[in-house]
Amino acid sequence: MQPVTTVRFDPEIREQLDKMAELMDRPRAWIIREAVAQYLEREAWYFAEVQKGIDDAGRGE
C-alpha cells in the first residue's frame, strides 16, 4: 500500500481538479500525482541548469 499524504485545497482548486478529473476520466488523486511528478521533474531540471551556470561562471566561462 502506498503512503498517504493529505493536501488541503481552496474550493476553487478542488472544483478545477474535479472538472479535470471528469474530463480525463481519471481519479482526482491521479491528476494530483501527475501534477506533482511533473513539477518535481521541471524543478529538478531548473536547479540542475542553474548549477551548471554557477559552475560555468566559477570556471570563468
Side-chain angles (χ1 to χ4, degrees):
M1 179 176 232
Q2 296 177 344
V4 174
T5 300
T6 301
V7 180
R8 297 190 197 298
F9 294 108
D10 291 335
E12 298 82 20
I13 299 294
R14 171 80 181 258
E15 184 177 330
Q16 289 177 332
L17 276 168
D18 288 342
K19 285 180 182 178
M20 187 60 64
E22 186 175 334
L23 285 171
M24 296 178 75
D25 194 29
R26 296 281 190 165
R28 185 187 314 124
W30 183 89
I31 294 171
I32 294 167
R33 277 193 306 272
E34 286 296 307
V36 170
Q38 289 177 24
Y39 171 82
L40 292 172
E41 183 177 336
R42 184 178 62 245
E43 291 300 304
W45 172 86
Y46 174 79
F47 283 111
E49 292 299 309
V50 168
Q51 189 58 55
K52 285 180 192 175
I54 292 169
D55 295 345
D56 288 349
R59 291 190 301 274
E61 298 177 10

